[in-house]
Amino acid sequence: DVDGSPSGPWGAEDVFYIGLETPYFAANRPFEDVTELRLVRGVDSDVWQKLAPFVCALPEPTMLNINTASTEVLAATVIEWDLSGQAMTMAKQWTDAISKQPVADQAALAERLLGDREKPVPPGLETVTRYFMAHTPLNFDNVEYRVSSLYRRNEGQAELLRQNRELL
C-alpha cells in the first residue's frame, strides 16, 4: 500500500519492521521484484517456497491471460469474485477446458467459461500476454548464474524492461 497505516490484522508498517533484528522501512509502493515479497510480515521460508512458483512483480496492474494461467493463479483471481468457496474447483475446470483448446478473444472466453458469448467476462481476465520473463542459465569458469529478463510486448516489439543476475 501507499501509506503508513497498517491494514487488517496482519498489516504491518514501519513500526513493525524497524523493530525487527535487522530493521528496515516499509517500501509503501508496488513490488519491483518478486523477492521483495520475502520482506513482508508473515512470509517466512515455507510460505515463500509455496508462493514463489505462482507470483510475479510487474511494473503496472496487469490482466491475467487465461490461456496460460495455472489453476492456482486462476483460483486466486476467482476468489476475488466471491464464488462461495468454489474457486479451486472452478479454476480447475476452466484450465482443463482451455488446455484442450485455448480461447482467441473475450467473446470466445465468455462462451467457453460462461456458456454465453454476450455475458461479461469476469474482471481481470484476458486472452493475451503483454509481459514475458526469460530465464537464461550461464556458466563462466564453473560459476553458474541465471539471468532473468523481463520483456513487455509493445506494438509487435519486445521491449526489455529489466534484467537481474543471480548465482545458482
Side-chain angles (χ1 to χ4, degrees):
D1 65 15
V2 296
D3 63 23
S5 300
S7 343
W10 282 95
E13 293 289 346
D14 289 343
V15 172
F16 174 80
Y17 295 119
I18 61 175
L20 297 175
E21 186 175 322
T22 304
Y24 53 92
F25 291 105
N28 289 330
R29 60 162 174 70
F31 292 131
E32 291 180 8
D33 188 274
V34 70
T35 58
E36 292 178 72
L37 186 58
R38 297 184 76 174
L39 297 171
V40 172
R41 178 183 186 181
V43 180
D44 60 16
S45 183
D46 290 338
V47 170
W48 172 248
Q49 292 302 318
K50 291 174 185 171
L51 288 176
F54 305 109
V55 296
C56 64
L58 298 173
E60 64 185 354
T62 304
M63 305 255 294
L64 181 64
N65 183 344
I66 195 158
N67 289 313
T68 59
S70 69
T71 300
E72 294 83 357
V73 170
L74 184 56
T77 303
V78 171
I79 286 171
E80 292 183 22
W81 307 331
D82 190 27
L83 298 173
S84 308
Q86 298 300 313
M88 190 57 97
T89 301
M90 183 176 288
K92 178 79 172 120
Q93 291 171 348
W94 289 0
T95 54
D96 285 350
I98 286 173
S99 71
K100 294 176 183 131
Q101 182 181 358
V103 293
D105 56 33
Q106 295 292 83
L109 179 57
E111 183 174 3
R112 293 277 303 285
L113 301 184
L114 307 171
D116 183 348
R117 292 180 75 82
E118 302 303 317
K119 283 190 177 180
V121 173
L125 297 179
E126 66 182 358
T127 58
V128 297
T129 300
R130 289 189 310 270
Y131 290 94
F132 301 87
M133 180 70 77
H135 300 288
T136 307
L138 301 172
N139 187 319
F140 293 110
D141 292 330
N142 294 321
V143 177
E144 294 184 27
Y145 294 90
R146 178 174 74 177
V147 175
S148 297
S149 306
L150 178 64
Y151 295 92
R152 175 176 41 210
R153 181 185 297 163
N154 189 9
E155 297 181 16
Q157 301 294 315
E159 174 186 6
L160 178 62
L161 299 178
R162 70 174 174 248
Q163 285 186 314
N164 26 328
R165 179 183 67 193
E166 64 181 307
L167 283 170
L168 295 179

